[in-house]
C-alpha cells in the first residue's frame, strides 16, 4: 500500500509539471506561429524529458516504472477520444493516423522497461537517464538539421534511404555533448572517461537510428545507447 501511495503522489506531482509545460508550449505555438516541425520537436522534448523528471521526483526505480506505465494507460484513451476532432492533427502535428498516441505509448512504456533494466537490474540510474536524453536531443537535432539542410544520403548498409549525413552528424554530435554532460553531472567518472563512453554510445545510437524505421527508434536507439554504456561500466 505504501508503494502505491508513493507512486500516486509522484504521479500527481508529475502532472503538476507536465500539464503547465504542455499548455505553455501550445500557447507559444499559436501565439508566435513557430514552424510546425520545430513545435513537433518541442513536444517531443517535453515528452522524453519526463522520464528523468519522474526519476528525480520518485527516487525509486519501481515507483518510476509504475508512474510511466500509468501515464501511458491514462493518456491512450484520452487521446483516442479526441483524435477524430478537426484540430487534433494540427495541434500535435500528426503525420499518420494514430501516430501521436502510438509514439507516446512506445516512449513511456519503453522508458519504463529501460529504467527497470538499467536502474532496477544494474543499479545504474545514470545510464537510464543518459541514454534517454542522448536519444531524445539527438533525434530532435537529426530531424531539424536533416530536414532543413540534409542533402547527402548516407547510403550505408540497411540505412533508411531518406536519412542524410547532415542529420546523422547532428544527432551524433548532440548526443555526444548531452551524454558527456549528463554522465559527468551524475558523477559517472572524469570528463575524459565520460566523453569516451558518450562518443562510442553516440556513434552506436546514430547508426541504429539510421536503420530503424516506422518510428521504432523510440525503443531501439535508447536501448542501443544503454547497452553500450552498461558494457562500458561493466568493463571498467
Amino acid at each position: 500500500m505504501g508503494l502505491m501511495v508513493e507512486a500516486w503522489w509522484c504521479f500527481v506531482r508529475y502532472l503538476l509539471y507536465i500539464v503547465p509545460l504542455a499548455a505553455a508550449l501550445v500557447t507559444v505555438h499559436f501565439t508566435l506561429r513557430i514552424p510546425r516541425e520545430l513545435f513537433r520537436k518541442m513536444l517531443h522534448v517535453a515528452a522524453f524529458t519526463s522520464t528523468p523528471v519522474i526519476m528525480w521526483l520518485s527516487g525509486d526505480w519501481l515507483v518510476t516504472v509504475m508512474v510511466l506505465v500509468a501515464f501511458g494507460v491514462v493518456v491512450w484513451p484520452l487521446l483516442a477520444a479526441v483524435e477524430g476532432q478537426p484540430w487534433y492533427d494540427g495541434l500535435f502535428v500528426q503525420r499518420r493516423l494514430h501516430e501521436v498516441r502510438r509514439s507516446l505509448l512506445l516512449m513511456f512504456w519503453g522508458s519504463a522497461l529501460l529504467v527497470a533494466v538499467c536502474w532496477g537490474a544494474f543499479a545504474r540510474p545514470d545510464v537510464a537517464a543518459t541514454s534517454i536524453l542522448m536519444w531524445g536531443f539527438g533525434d530532435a537535432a537529426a530531424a531539424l538539421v536533416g530536414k532543413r539542410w540534409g542533402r547527402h544520403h548516407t547510403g550505408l548498409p540497411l540505412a533508411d534511404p531518406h536519412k542524410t549525413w547532415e542529420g546523422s552528424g547532428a544527432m551524433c554530435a548532440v548526443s555526444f555533448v548531452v551524454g558527456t554532460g549528463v554522465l559527468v553531472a551524475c558523477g559517472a567518472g572524469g570528463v575524459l572517461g565520460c566523453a569516451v563512453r558518450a562518443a562510442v554510445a553516440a556513434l552506436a545510437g546514430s547508426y541504429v537510428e539510421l536503420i530503424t524505421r516506422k518510428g521504432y527508434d523510440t525503443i531501439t536507439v535508447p536501448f542501443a545507447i544503454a547497452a553500450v554504456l552498461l558494457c562500458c561500466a561493466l568493463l571498467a
Side-chain angles (χ1 to χ4, degrees):
M1 181 62 72
L3 189 64
M4 293 296 294
V5 172
E6 188 177 348
W8 168 251
W9 177 230
C10 182
F11 185 81
V12 170
R13 286 186 293 165
Y14 170 65
L15 290 180
L16 293 175
Y17 158 79
I18 196 63
V19 172
L21 177 59
L25 288 177
V26 171
T27 301
V28 169
H29 176 50
F30 287 107
T31 302
L32 302 181
R33 302 292 181 182
I34 61 177
R36 287 170 55 85
E37 187 63 28
L38 178 58
F39 177 65
R40 177 185 172 90
K41 289 307 171 184
M42 289 170 67
L43 292 175
H44 174 80
V45 169
F48 75 74
T49 53
S50 294
T51 297
V53 169
I54 295 171
M55 292 172 66
W56 176 73
L57 288 172
S58 70
D60 181 88
W61 75 268
L62 188 53
V63 172
T64 300
V65 169
M66 292 170 68
V67 173
L68 287 168
V69 171
F71 191 78
V73 171
V74 170
V75 167
W76 178 272
L78 290 177
L79 291 178
V82 299
E83 193 173 29
Q85 299 299 316
W87 48 263
Y88 184 90
D89 288 354
L91 176 61
F92 292 108
V93 197
Q94 181 168 251
R95 296 170 179 166
R96 297 177 297 275
L97 185 64
H98 309 318
E99 180 192 25
V100 171
R101 55 191 173 111
R102 173 180 171 273
S103 296
L104 279 176
L105 199 65
L106 284 175
M107 183 179 297
F108 280 91
W109 286 10
S111 295
L113 180 59
L114 190 67
V115 168
V117 172
C118 296
W119 193 357
F122 289 94
R124 293 302 301 259
D126 59 310
V127 170
T130 303
S131 58
I132 290 169
L133 293 173
M134 286 180 68
W135 161 73
F137 284 110
D139 181 73
L144 294 173
V145 172
K147 290 181 182 299
R148 178 65 179 84
W149 292 287
R151 298 292 184 273
H152 305 89
H153 299 289
T154 64
L156 293 175
L158 305 178
D160 185 330
H162 300 100
K163 301 292 178 66
T164 64
W165 283 114
E166 291 83 358
S168 293
M171 177 173 183
C172 191
V174 171
S175 294
F176 165 70
V177 172
V178 171
T180 302
V182 176
L183 287 172
V184 171
C186 290
V191 175
L192 181 58
C194 290
V196 171
R197 281 177 280 164
V200 177
L203 287 170
S206 297
Y207 181 69
V208 171
E209 194 272 340
L210 273 177
I211 64 176
T212 304
R213 309 189 188 193
K214 298 182 179 180
Y216 287 106
D217 58 321
T218 303
I219 301 293
T220 60
V221 176
F223 270 91
I225 293 173
V228 171
L229 294 178
L230 284 173
C231 286
C232 290
L234 293 173
L235 294 174

